[in-house]
Amino acid sequence: MTPDKKPVSVAEQASDWLAHFDRLGDVGPDTTLTDLTARDAEFSAWVNEGIHHRVAFLETLAAWHRTERLVVLSDRAGPQPRSWLIRRRGVLAGAVSAIAAAVCAAVILPMSGLMTPPPSIEPEVYFSQLGEQRTLTLDDGTRITLNTNSRVDIRYTEDVRLARLVRGEAFFEVARDEARPFRVDTPSGDVEVLGTVFAVELKDSAVEVAVTEGRVSLASEDTSEQPAEYLTSGMVGYADQSNVITETIGLEAVEDRLLWRTGRLKFSDMALQEVAAEFNRYSRVQLVIEDEKSASMRIGGTFAADNVEGFLRLAETGLGLRVERRGERVAISQK
């Protein structure tokens, strides 16, 4: 799609895209962003330029869906001739830019709450299988990408959007809502934001947070011991029951940690024991380092997360280690 005039804002670009799809008849009550990106490569490229593009379009699409629901409700008052519905779709296609842009502006005002999902009693449960990455979009426009063998429970209250990370790791692209912050609860600590981009991973007795955009509050479970710390782009933080530690490692290093979103793992001067543990998260084949000398060896490189065999060949030929396969257990040791 090539607009007649270059829009002056991302919201207007999103509105023009929706008008384009509406004219083609590609938008319905159940249409999702994934459906539309699959239909138009140019639109897919625009959406993937940044989270602000995705959020703007999701807000505009939500506005369109609300209009659809209003039409359905009005139809219940009496039959409407089909010609009226056709005219209505034509008018919507021509006017959606102005209407949706106004709704998008209202969405971010603290008092509007137009995009705020209603409170829920029972959480929505989402999970990924072993070796799988899964991306989902919540009703408020927030996107969550689950890493291998992960689970997150989502629930909305009057005051907060609540995600409970039950296991594994998740990457959050949070749609901003000044009136209702987004909180991630874990057994070791809690994360709270208004709208930003970050990842949360559950460790054995702690939680790790890595931030790529915005500002994130990280607090331990026992906030009486230490107040919350704030992280910004290029920072990581760790929290356990009573402590919070933060450090600045740089955005490039943070992105390296999050390469799992593309199905890859990058190791930089990492102990073999830690590398094996990372591979074990993605496969039923479990690597066991049997001696301390091997466990402490430092290696680097980038691997496909599911390429355990490639890593084992490196261990044998590149590192000179013994690799012994015992069913789904692989023992690695000195020769």
Side-chain angles (χ1 to χ4, degrees):
M1 180 199 71
T2 303
D4 296 333
K5 179 175 72 173
K6 184 178 180 179
V8 297
S9 71
V10 172
E12 288 179 336
Q13 292 178 51
S15 299
D16 282 351
W17 272 115
L18 184 59
H20 166 72
F21 286 122
D22 186 66
R23 284 192 295 270
L24 296 176
D26 287 343
V27 189
D30 299 319
T31 301
T32 66
L33 178 59
T34 301
D35 297 332
L36 298 176
T37 54
R39 292 172 188 167
D40 192 306
E42 185 181 350
F43 171 68
S44 178
W46 177 83
V47 164
N48 288 304
E49 284 182 23
I51 185 174
H52 55 300
H53 283 200
R54 291 192 292 273
V55 170
F57 188 81
L58 287 167
E59 290 172 345
T60 307
L61 183 61
W64 193 97
H65 282 154
R66 279 197 299 278
T67 307
E68 282 288 296
R69 286 194 288 272
L70 288 173
V71 170
V72 172
L73 289 173
S74 68
D75 287 350
R76 292 175 184 169
Q80 299 287 338
R82 177 154 181 83
S83 60
W84 181 88
L85 290 174
I86 293 173
R87 287 198 302 275
R88 179 238 166 223
R89 291 183 67 84
V91 170
L92 177 62
V96 68
S97 293
I99 295 173
V103 172
C104 287
V107 165
I108 62 174
L109 294 176
M111 297 182 63
S112 69
L114 290 179
M115 283 295 295
T116 304
S120 54
I121 298 175
E122 294 297 326
E124 294 287 336
V125 177
Y126 303 94
F127 60 90
S128 60
Q129 304 288 351
L130 184 68
E132 175 192 24
Q133 282 82 40
R134 178 186 178 191
T135 298
L136 53 109
T137 302
L138 304 184
D139 291 341
D140 66 340
T142 294
R143 283 166 54 93
I144 302 176
T145 302
L146 296 176
N147 199 0
T148 174
N149 193 28
S150 299
R151 172 182 159 182
V152 63
D153 298 350
I154 304 296
R155 187 168 66 88
Y156 299 101
T157 72
E158 294 287 353
D159 302 319
V160 69
R161 298 167 288 167
L162 183 63
R164 186 167 69 93
L165 187 60
V166 178
R167 67 172 181 267
E169 182 176 11
F171 181 75
F172 297 88
E173 299 168 274
V174 178
R176 192 170 188 84
D177 186 343
E178 299 282 352
R180 192 150 58 161
F182 191 96
R183 181 183 301 153
V184 182
D185 283 353
T186 77
S188 300
D190 300 328
V191 177
E192 186 168 308
V193 301
L194 295 177
T196 187
V197 184
F198 61 98
V200 181
E201 180 184 355
L202 294 182
K203 303 288 190 178
D204 290 339
S205 58
V207 60
E208 177 185 307
V209 177
V211 182
T212 62
E213 291 182 24
R215 187 170 184 258
V216 172
S217 167
L218 175 61
S220 63
E221 279 296 284
D222 185 359
T223 55
S224 64
E225 291 289 329
Q226 182 179 349
E229 297 278 353
Y230 291 93
L231 293 79
T232 56
S233 177
M235 295 183 68
V236 295
Y238 309 89
D240 59 18
Q241 289 293 321
S242 57
N243 300 289
V244 178
I245 299 173
T246 66
E247 63 176 325
T248 300
I249 63 173
L251 183 57
E252 184 178 354
V254 169
E255 292 289 357
D256 285 346
R257 292 186 181 212
L258 302 178
L259 271 180
W260 57 263
R261 292 175 293 153
T262 66
R264 295 180 295 158
L265 302 174
K266 184 172 183 178
F267 309 114
S268 178
D269 192 32
M270 184 178 289
L272 189 63
Q273 181 71 56
E274 297 176 69
V275 174
E278 275 298 299
F279 273 109
N280 287 346
R281 297 175 59 197
Y282 296 86
S283 173
R284 296 191 183 281
V285 176
Q286 296 293 288
L287 310 181
V288 180
I289 312 299
E290 294 198 319
D291 62 276
E292 291 187 7
K293 185 176 180 180
S294 299
S296 61
M297 293 180 69
R298 317 295 292 189
I299 70 168
T302 302
F303 300 84
D306 59 357
N307 190 16
V308 178
E309 289 301 319
F311 171 72
L312 291 176
R313 285 195 296 273
L314 171 67
E316 282 186 302
T317 61
L319 303 179
L321 298 174
R322 176 185 291 110
V323 174
E324 185 178 354
R325 293 167 174 80
R326 304 166 185 170
E328 291 187 341
R329 183 176 182 272
V330 179
I332 301 175
S333 62
Q334 296 286 313
K335 289 183 177 178

